[in-house]
Amino acid sequence: MEMALSRSSLSSLSSNLVKPMSSILSLRRRSISSSSEPLTVETSVPFTSHNCDAPSRSVETSAAELFSFFRDMVVMRRMEIAADSLYKAKLIRGFCHLYDGQEAVAVGMEAAITKKDCIITAYRDHCTFLSRGGTLMEVFTELMGRREGCSKGKGGSMHFYRKEGGFYGGHGIVGAQVPLGCGLAFAQKYCKDENVTFALYGDGAANQGQLFEALNIAALWDLPAILVCENNHYGMGTAEWRAAKSPAYYKRGDYVSGLKVDGMDALAVKQACKFAKKHALDNGPIILEMDTYRYHGHSMSDPGSTYRTRDEISGVRQERDPIERVRKLLLTHDIAIEKELKDVEKEVRKEVDETIAKAKECQMPDPSDLFTNVYVKGLGIEACGADRKEVRATLP
């Protein structure tokens, strides 16, 4: 039986035949963006080394990884900008140190390691927490002091924590996290688990005495500790050159190897962290200096514009922004088109806004919670299930 086609049905058929071409291109791009086929990209600038050979500038990546870098950094950027607004609306109280501009360090580091490797950092910790598997809801509820926060709303901006993701905090005391990080590395070596610890600190904390004490012990004992100086070039209200006689932080270890890295290049960070992990497991500690930049002030109480010019900030945004660098790679390698990337940014904005709305509805801690988690009863040897004589026999 022959079937007659009307003019309208012919038009419809024609439309459906033409339309798939754009869909096919879109599907092709989506398949490219999720491809794990190896792709080699050269870092923006060479690595500078101290007491070691620098790693190759050629970094192996993939379309899928680059696309994930873009989305993850967009989430981090939008999250921090939202935190700025929440602070100004007095929904976040106390201290708050934002990470926008430095996202490539968190993303690149995570791409080089596993969750069995540990990270410990200072008070600029929101994005590192997110990279270790934390959620936006845990971030915003903690910032707003709600029970659902990652520290039950009791830690706030400086005290994020996620043990199951190998993230041992946010710390408010300048530089104090470095000895703790070396302690984690000691535990890793003692347990022979072939993992490493990244202890992050800023250029301001690089002058703290406890950092050098911890590094000395780590070097003596060949601990798998990687000290990461996130050099954003400014401390609280002052520039690095006014606070440090020697701002070549990667050389500060003297007898310990060091590497200076473009911290605005996620792929360079990834390459450096892979190199550092192997070095730390084979030879002991190493220092990484991440040359990065913060767009906000040191904290929300610092306008960030009295000790540097607005032209300087906008210049870094235009020339070195980590998100824009990955965007350029995605476009250059035909992994995505501009509209797709804009759509990602719109989706992220919506996701962040919806999460904040839900977080605002969450409960504040009960006043009685002030008295919990303050003291822990000491565990006696019997409580550990060990024989007293056996334990004493292991003591020096």
Side-chain angles (χ1 to χ4, degrees):
M1 179 186 294
E2 292 185 3
M3 185 178 290
L5 292 174
S6 66
R7 187 181 297 273
S8 62
S9 59
L10 280 169
S11 174
S12 173
L13 178 61
S14 172
S15 153
N16 286 332
L17 286 171
V18 174
K19 190 175 179 182
M21 279 309 296
S22 60
S23 300
I24 289 168
L25 288 173
S26 179
L27 283 169
R28 177 177 170 274
R29 288 186 186 280
R30 277 201 293 275
S31 65
I32 291 173
S33 66
S34 60
S35 171
S36 56
E37 285 292 314
L39 177 68
T40 302
V41 177
E42 194 168 85
T43 63
S44 51
V45 296
F47 299 99
T48 308
S49 62
H50 169 69
N51 285 346
C52 65
D53 294 326
S56 169
R57 290 181 63 182
S58 297
V59 188
E60 188 174 289
T61 183
S62 67
E65 182 175 70
L66 288 173
F67 201 82
S68 71
F69 280 2
F70 180 80
R71 193 182 193 285
D72 290 346
M73 288 196 287
V74 166
V75 170
M76 291 174 180
R77 180 74 56 87
R78 176 50 51 184
M79 177 183 75
E80 295 295 70
I81 290 170
D84 173 276
S85 299
L86 290 169
Y87 194 94
K88 288 170 180 172
K90 297 186 177 180
L91 287 167
I92 297 175
R93 309 305 291 264
F95 294 98
C96 186
H97 302 77
L98 303 179
Y99 201 75
D100 48 319
Q102 300 182 211
E103 299 93 346
V105 177
V107 167
M109 184 180 299
E110 196 59 44
I113 61 177
T114 74
K115 293 294 189 293
K116 290 184 179 180
D117 296 307
C118 300
I119 297 179
I120 189 166
T121 189
Y123 35 71
R124 206 176 303 279
D125 58 357
H126 311 160
C127 294
T128 310
F129 171 79
L130 210 60
S131 72
R132 296 261 83 187
T135 66
L136 283 172
M137 178 60 81
E138 289 174 311
V139 168
F140 287 118
T141 46
E142 187 59 41
L143 287 173
M144 291 191 276
R146 313 298 165 118
R147 277 182 167 176
E148 288 78 359
C150 60
S151 296
K152 310 299 182 188
K154 298 171 68 174
S157 172
M158 298 196 292
H159 299 104
F160 281 36
Y161 188 81
R162 184 179 170 79
K163 185 179 179 182
E164 61 271 31
F167 181 58
Y168 289 87
H171 291 265
I173 299 174
V174 177
Q177 71 278 7
V178 177
L180 295 176
C182 291
L184 288 166
F186 176 81
Q188 288 167 328
K189 180 163 185 174
Y190 184 82
C191 296
K192 299 178 181 178
D193 61 7
E194 293 299 302
N195 296 314
V196 300
T197 293
F198 289 80
L200 280 62
Y201 57 97
D203 47 288
N207 301 314
Q208 292 289 317
Q210 58 194 323
L211 189 149
F212 295 95
E213 294 170 29
L215 183 60
N216 179 61
I217 289 292
L220 279 172
W221 294 346
D222 294 325
L223 301 183
I226 300 164
L227 276 63
V228 182
C229 178
E230 292 187 277
N231 181 11
N232 58 30
H233 301 282
Y234 294 96
M236 177 61 183
T238 192
E240 60 172 347
W241 61 269
R242 298 184 66 178
K245 181 64 177 175
S246 171
Y249 300 104
Y250 70 103
K251 293 181 180 179
R252 287 286 193 93
D254 184 17
Y255 43 81
V256 171
S257 297
L259 196 66
K260 186 174 182 179
V261 185
D262 183 355
M264 303 293 267
D265 181 345
L267 289 173
V269 175
K270 173 189 169 182
Q271 187 84 327
C273 290
K274 282 180 68 176
F275 172 85
K277 179 174 178 177
K278 185 178 187 309
H279 181 283
L281 289 171
D282 294 343
N283 307 300
I286 181 172
I287 293 177
L288 299 181
E289 178 186 343
M290 300 293 179
D291 180 7
T292 186
Y293 198 83
R294 57 170 167 79
Y295 294 151
H296 267 85
H298 173 75
S299 69
M300 290 302 295
S301 61
D302 169 24
S305 55
T306 55
Y307 47 83
R308 58 181 179 174
T309 65
R310 296 192 182 278
D311 286 344
E312 177 186 307
I313 301 169
S314 62
V316 174
R317 283 185 180 275
Q318 290 170 18
E319 296 170 19
R320 299 183 64 213
D321 186 85
I323 297 176
E324 294 309 311
R325 282 183 168 183
V326 175
R327 188 196 302 273
K328 186 177 180 181
L329 285 173
L330 290 168
L331 297 174
T332 302
H333 290 277
D334 198 31
I335 296 167
I337 59 174
E338 189 63 52
K339 183 182 181 303
E340 287 173 307
L341 301 181
K342 291 288 185 186
D343 287 344
V344 168
E345 291 171 315
K346 287 177 185 175
E347 288 167 13
V348 167
R349 184 188 290 263
K350 183 181 177 185
E351 182 184 352
V352 169
D353 290 346
E354 288 175 351
T355 304
I356 291 171
K358 290 176 185 175
K360 287 177 179 177
E361 300 301 317
C362 293
Q363 286 187 325
M364 302 289 283
D366 189 271
S368 63
D369 288 341
L370 280 171
F371 305 100
T372 61
N373 309 122
V374 178
Y375 297 105
V376 176
K377 290 183 180 179
L379 290 176
I381 292 173
E382 294 84 356
C384 298
D387 181 84
R388 192 183 294 266
K389 290 181 181 177
E390 284 181 19
V391 174
R392 281 180 179 158
T394 66
L395 299 176

